[in-house]
Amino acid sequence: MDYGGCEYPVPCGKDKYISKNELLLHLKTYNIYYEGQNLQLRHREEEGELIVEGLLNISWGLRRPIRLQMQDDNQRIRPPPSSSSWHSGCNLGAHGSVLKPSTLPDIQVTDAEAVPNTEAPRSCAGTKPQGEETPQLMRTRSDVGVRHRGSARTPSEQRRIRRHRFSINGHFYNHKTSVFTPAYGSITNVRINSTMTTPQVLKLLLNKFKIENSAEEFALYIVHTSGEKQKLRGSDYPLIARILQGPCEQVSKVFLMEKDQVEEVTYDVAQYIKFEMPILKSFIQKLEEEEDREVKKLMRKYSILRLMIEQRLEEISEGPTAM
């Protein structure tokens, strides 16, 4: 992969630019970290513009429930060419053939079995995460308006139906559970490129999983392990922001959060977040003592200056007025 070429600025936000060569150096480091995995990023040039594309991991950090769409529109769910994880969402027959809408099997509303989370913790120094497009938040076929058979399904039929439904961390969609909150910190990903701004990435993510909520309710944040939270603006490019932060998700992650539930935390503030309350109180006490010393020093300085001015005024007023 060629990481050289002509030098020119690449936009990374409103009135913010980075040189092409510097960005390519960050990209090279990023791809070395994910060597042999689908999370590696590709780049090309079109009409003199550098374009980077690939998968972006996004963690769910929602505090309120989201709503899944309840209508099906009798449409087959087609997997993107670049993703193998969506093949489980097709309407497959017994021999792997795609069924037409008129021959869709009847689906009985059943509570899905819980799927344990077997994902191992990520480590920068250990095994790196696989780069498949993760299916943790996936669209299921709607149970609304489906004709129910009177006879109960056999266990094998129910298992087959579950295999061809999309789940959200084991949460299977039906009309009773269309409103829920994704597990905090669970990860999904979307395939994007470096020309897509934050609102475009948000809309793509919500459309991918058929979420009814408006993209205006959410924002993307870069969250550091130190506690620093940086909101990505509407003019920012999330993929470039991820590249510049580095590949290790033990250092920083991209989170989807509610706009009105999260406040940005600067680096200076983040330094003190993890301290215990007694230590923080001792910091405050020292700052107050230092403030008192500075106030007293200023008061002495201006008191002396005021006294000097008053003395000079008295000398002028007592002096001869005429010769």
Side-chain angles (χ1 to χ4, degrees):
M1 187 176 291
D2 180 19
Y3 290 95
C6 300
E7 176 78 4
Y8 56 81
V10 178
C12 54
K14 185 178 180 181
D15 301 327
K16 294 187 295 184
Y17 297 89
I18 183 174
S19 69
K20 173 192 169 185
N21 287 345
E22 185 178 354
L23 178 60
L24 289 177
L25 286 175
H26 284 282
L27 179 60
K28 184 177 181 180
T29 302
Y30 193 98
N31 284 338
I32 290 174
Y33 182 83
Y34 286 118
E35 185 175 2
Q37 302 180 48
N38 287 345
L39 284 173
Q40 279 192 318
L41 304 174
R42 298 174 296 177
H43 75 277
R44 66 182 190 277
E45 290 195 34
E46 288 186 1
E47 301 179 353
E49 181 181 10
L50 178 67
I51 298 178
V52 184
E53 58 186 5
L55 293 175
L56 174 66
N57 276 348
I58 299 178
S59 300
W60 295 94
L62 303 180
R63 301 298 184 183
R64 292 194 297 254
I66 57 174
R67 299 183 304 275
L68 300 182
Q69 291 181 5
M70 299 183 69
Q71 68 274 11
D72 257 351
D73 298 330
N74 287 328
Q75 293 179 352
R76 288 177 293 180
I77 303 174
R78 299 180 180 179
S82 59
S83 171
S84 60
S85 62
W86 282 72
H87 285 285
S88 61
C90 296
N91 302 315
L92 301 179
H95 301 289
S97 60
V98 179
L99 300 177
K100 297 181 179 180
S102 59
T103 60
L104 286 174
D106 295 325
I107 299 176
Q108 183 177 5
V109 178
T110 57
D111 292 332
E113 298 175 355
V115 178
N117 183 8
T118 58
E119 183 179 359
R122 302 185 174 213
S123 173
C124 296
T127 303
K128 303 184 184 76
Q130 294 298 321
E132 300 293 339
E133 277 195 83
T134 51
Q136 280 91 340
L137 185 67
M138 286 197 161
R139 169 74 168 118
T140 65
R141 284 212 159 266
S142 172
D143 293 318
V144 177
V146 178
R147 181 168 56 86
H148 304 281
R149 289 183 175 176
S151 59
R153 294 192 179 274
T154 64
S156 62
E157 288 177 326
Q158 292 179 0
R159 284 194 297 270
R160 179 176 59 82
I161 290 173
R162 291 194 185 101
R163 280 199 300 271
H164 298 309
R165 289 188 175 189
F166 294 157
S167 71
I168 306 171
N169 294 330
H171 173 101
F172 285 80
Y173 169 81
N174 61 53
H175 71 285
K176 295 180 181 178
T177 59
S178 61
V179 178
F180 79 108
T181 305
Y184 190 91
S186 58
I187 299 175
T188 186
N189 53 42
V190 287
R191 187 172 295 278
I192 62 174
N193 63 56
S194 58
T195 66
M196 298 176 67
T197 59
T198 303
Q200 291 173 321
V201 174
L202 285 171
K203 289 179 181 178
L204 179 64
L205 181 62
L206 299 186
N207 289 336
K208 176 179 178 180
F209 299 122
K210 306 301 180 186
I211 297 173
E212 284 189 349
N213 303 65
S214 170
E216 297 295 326
E217 300 178 28
F218 308 107
L220 293 179
Y221 290 81
I222 301 290
V223 180
H224 296 256
T225 52
S226 64
E228 180 184 357
K229 291 186 179 74
Q230 175 189 355
K231 181 181 178 181
L232 294 182
R233 310 301 173 190
S235 58
D236 289 337
Y237 303 94
L239 190 57
I240 291 183
R242 174 74 267 182
I243 295 171
L244 297 181
Q245 290 292 329
C248 184
E249 295 193 352
Q250 292 296 321
V251 176
S252 63
K253 293 183 179 181
V254 179
F255 266 84
L256 174 72
M257 297 178 166
E258 293 96 346
K259 278 184 179 179
D260 59 349
Q261 294 290 307
V262 182
E263 292 185 4
E264 290 189 82
V265 178
T266 64
Y267 172 77
D268 293 333
V269 174
Q271 296 181 75
Y272 300 99
I273 286 180
K274 294 188 177 181
F275 286 109
E276 298 292 336
M277 187 59 67
I279 298 177
L280 292 175
K281 287 182 177 179
S282 67
F283 287 158
I284 293 174
Q285 182 178 355
K286 290 181 178 180
L287 289 173
E288 289 176 346
E289 292 173 356
E290 184 177 351
E291 182 182 14
D292 289 340
R293 287 194 297 270
E294 291 297 322
V295 169
K296 291 176 181 179
K297 187 188 296 184
L298 287 173
M299 290 178 67
R300 285 195 300 269
K301 176 181 177 180
Y302 286 103
S303 295
I304 295 172
L305 182 61
R306 179 179 177 180
L307 181 60
M308 292 173 62
I309 293 173
E310 290 176 348
Q311 289 176 348
R312 181 58 180 163
L313 289 174
E314 288 179 0
E315 291 175 358
I316 293 175
S317 62
E318 292 175 357
T321 59
M323 294 300 293

